[in-house]
Amino acid sequence: KGGVGKSTVAANIATGLANQGFRVGLMDADVYGPSVSKLMGSASTPVIDDETGRLLPLEQFGVKFVSMAMLTNEKTPVIWRGPMATKLIQQFLGQVQWGEIDYLLIDLPPGTGDVQLTLVQAARLFGAVIVTTPQDLAVGITTRGLKMFEQTGVPILGLVENMASYCCPHCNESSQIFAGAGGEAVADELGISYLGSLPLDPAITAGGDSGEPVVLGNTPAAKSFQAVIGRLKEELKVL
């Protein structure tokens, strides 16, 4: 679903893995609303390697990444039909000089359309991570994406519940912002692993706006991301 924080989660997981010493790539597959470049704090223009003719990814915090935002600007909307978006995804997969990497994370756009179908057909995906917020509306839409991956043979690594609660900085009391069953109950109902919850924390937003992923810090929000990364690695080991 749009607006649940998929890009923020992807950028922080990628950065957290790189901070642990892994070689990580991050591919922004949200052609129409790319945000990875901003989240990673780089507005550089990519270059082509003269020897291979491949696009060289940008690199920040040890993460190699590509995004449609590298090829356009904030004032230029991407007005493309599906086949054009599909071609870009194929180029990001096959014509970017990723090099030797341990993890390639792909940040998806909302929905179950051309981009998602192209990915499951063009690459061997080890698994999908489902990101949702707690309210029933978001969970219902998110479940459609989960079913799409199941139907196309992509394993579901687990569910991340974003914006799960807000901790008041004055009284330290935690409050539920959205009504709903909660991520753990939803994961149990769907029969998938629960990777953890992330708070509604201004520090996460500030990190995204400044291009410094919050996972690199030592705050409660950073520790929440680090816990999710630990569980995600365990699910990958099982596969």
Side-chain angles (χ1 to χ4, degrees), residues 24 61 71 223:
V24 182
F61 312 111
L71 310 174
K223 292 176 181 177

Side-chain angles (χ1 to χ4, degrees), residues 133-172:
T133 47
Q135 74 269 40
D136 292 340
L137 175 62
V139 170
I141 296 173
T142 299
T143 303
R144 297 175 194 166
L146 182 149
K147 296 298 182 184
M148 182 207 71
F149 284 117
E150 288 181 339
Q151 291 174 14
T152 53
V154 178
I156 305 298
L157 295 171
L159 180 143
V160 175
E161 182 184 24
N162 194 22
M163 308 181 215
S165 61
Y166 174 73
C167 184
C168 175
H170 304 293
C171 66
N172 294 321

Side-chain angles (χ1 to χ4, degrees), residues 36-118:
V36 162
S37 291
K38 184 173 180 62
L39 288 165
M40 298 300 290
S42 177
S44 301
T45 302
V47 296
I48 303 293
D49 182 85
D50 292 333
E51 293 185 6
T52 64
R54 291 187 171 191
L55 185 71
L56 293 173
L58 302 179
E59 186 167 344
Q60 286 278 84
F61 312 111
V63 177
K64 297 178 179 178
F65 66 93
V66 293
S67 172
M68 184 65 190
M70 297 161 51
L71 310 174
T72 182
N73 61 61
E74 294 181 355
K75 296 181 180 179
T76 306
V78 179
I79 307 173
W80 282 4
R81 292 189 182 276
M84 297 174 71
T86 294
K87 185 175 181 180
L88 180 74
I89 296 306
Q90 292 170 336
Q91 290 175 332
F92 276 176
L93 282 172
Q95 296 180 29
V96 171
Q97 195 160 303
W98 292 108
E100 293 294 326
I101 52 176
D102 301 306
Y103 295 93
L104 176 63
L105 285 87
I106 303 174
D107 177 31
L108 290 180
T112 54
D114 292 329
V115 169
Q116 287 83 350
L117 293 175
T118 297

Side-chain angles (χ1 to χ4, degrees), residues 189-212:
E189 182 182 338
L190 296 173
I192 61 176
S193 297
Y194 180 62
L195 299 178
S197 66
L198 302 168
L200 181 62
D201 189 330
I204 298 176
T205 304
D209 288 342
S210 65
E212 297 179 6

